[in-house]
Amino acid sequence: IEMPSDTPKTDRILTLDQIRRISASKRRIDGIGRAFVFLDGTDSVDFLGRTVIAEWILGRFPKCAAAAAFRNISPERAAIVACAPSLKVAIDAHPESPAIAPVDWFDIGVAAPVKCPDPAWEEYDLSHPDLVLLPPMLHGRPCRIDGLADHPPRFAVPEEWTANATGYLATKGIGQENWFACVDSDLEIRRDGIPLELPDAAVFRLQDAGMPSVEWKAAIISRARFVLSADPLVLGLASAFRVPLCAAGIDDWERCVWNKADIVLPPEAMARDPHALNRALEILMDRTAGIKGWRRPVERQAKSGSGSVFLPLARTEDLAVDVWEKPRAIPG
């Protein structure tokens, strides 16, 4: 806590009530204008989950500009940060870096010998953050964070990614006038023994050997009508883009599914009901009936929520996800 330099030493001792009042003022939504986030994770899916939680926190502060630092050990990490709407500056450290610490913080002042070369660092005054988020603060599964499902963040791909993905889909004969669904290559949807076809649509197989990069895959997922997959990273990206999905035959789904009404088919549910995937598909079709072509791209702009955030984050046992523990009939 900074006190005026001419304040008598006897007045620099703050009471507990004074500290509480100062802390409360810092928690005001309008009081957080600059934030710095340290991101990490055990794998790409965990990294994505922590980025989603960070975005949900930052979304509570409409005027907040944030920077993120992370060890760039995979293309997926860089792609995830690039799609996070609140992160204005991204600092990717060497994969073997044991620690990351902005030098500006330890040598503050106009005459500091080392300055961050990114113009946005100075533009947003990130040498003096109001909020710092560390990896342990973001540890958890998004579906278990109380309130996240009510105001989930929505990631957006950079415009150049969308342009590249559009050209790639065109080479596969998928035009923008008709909608398409992203489906795992090993998922086969049948009805009465006959492969089920999607009317006026195309199925994009996510394990296409010709997929150039994770950036293109993210852009394609963001434009899909819905996603059926067992791949945790694909499901996590679909959740981050708020594309309706069905997690089919996956046990550890809590890491990658968190939006309201998304469907989870645990392995035992699929083994018990051979038509479960067909039923889930028809429910997704019904939920997304208004989409006639490609899903429209989302502007890369942070969406603010309401209420306050207190760390450590509160957990909830009430899941918004639709987990099929019993055989389910098609509504209506």
Side-chain angles (χ1 to χ4, degrees), residues 4-5 22 35 37-38 71 73 83 91 108 124 143 175 205 215 242 246 252 263 266-267 284 295 304:
S5 57
I22 293 173
V37 185
F38 292 93
R71 290 186 302 121
I73 63 177
C83 295
I91 302 173
I108 297 173
Y124 296 114
C143 69
R205 295 295 180 176
E215 290 87 355
R242 290 168 61 179
C246 172
D252 195 15
I263 300 171
L284 286 174
R295 189 176 294 273
S304 62

Side-chain angles (χ1 to χ4, degrees), residues 69-204:
F70 63 99
R71 290 186 302 121
N72 194 7
I73 63 177
S74 69
E76 288 78 12
R77 286 193 171 199
I80 289 167
V81 171
C83 295
S86 297
L87 303 181
K88 309 299 184 184
V89 178
I91 302 173
D92 55 334
H94 191 275
E96 297 180 3
S97 299
I100 303 173
V103 177
D104 300 46
W105 292 3
F106 299 95
D107 198 354
I108 297 173
V110 294
V114 179
K115 288 289 186 182
C116 179
D118 193 323
W121 183 270
E122 183 176 353
E123 177 184 352
Y124 296 114
D125 196 18
L126 292 169
S127 295
H128 305 79
D130 301 309
L131 175 68
V132 176
L133 297 176
L134 303 175
M137 298 178 181
L138 307 173
H139 177 66
R141 303 188 171 196
C143 69
R144 294 291 183 182
I145 302 301
D146 191 16
L148 189 145
D150 295 324
H151 299 283
R154 186 171 188 174
F155 284 32
V157 298
E159 291 184 6
E160 59 271 21
W161 295 11
T162 299
N164 292 336
T166 299
Y168 180 74
L169 287 173
T171 65
K172 301 295 182 180
I174 303 177
Q176 298 192 39
E177 64 279 1
N178 293 328
W179 62 268
F180 68 95
C182 290
V183 183
D184 279 357
S185 297
D186 56 351
L187 285 180
E188 189 173 25
I189 307 171
R190 291 177 171 269
R191 175 179 292 160
D192 299 327
I194 302 174
L196 183 65
E197 296 184 359
L198 302 178
D200 300 323
V203 174
F204 182 81

Side-chain angles (χ1 to χ4, degrees), residues 262-285:
D262 278 346
I263 300 171
V264 173
L265 297 178
E268 58 272 16
M270 295 185 66
R272 183 175 56 243
D273 182 1
H275 302 293
L277 194 57
N278 295 348
R279 298 173 188 274
L281 171 62
E282 296 196 26
I283 290 173
L284 286 174
M285 294 277 289

Side-chain angles (χ1 to χ4, degrees), residues 280-298:
L281 171 62
E282 296 196 26
I283 290 173
L284 286 174
M285 294 277 289
D286 183 65
R287 281 184 53 201
T288 60
I291 297 179
K292 304 303 181 183
W294 291 10
R295 189 176 294 273
R296 291 188 177 184
V298 179

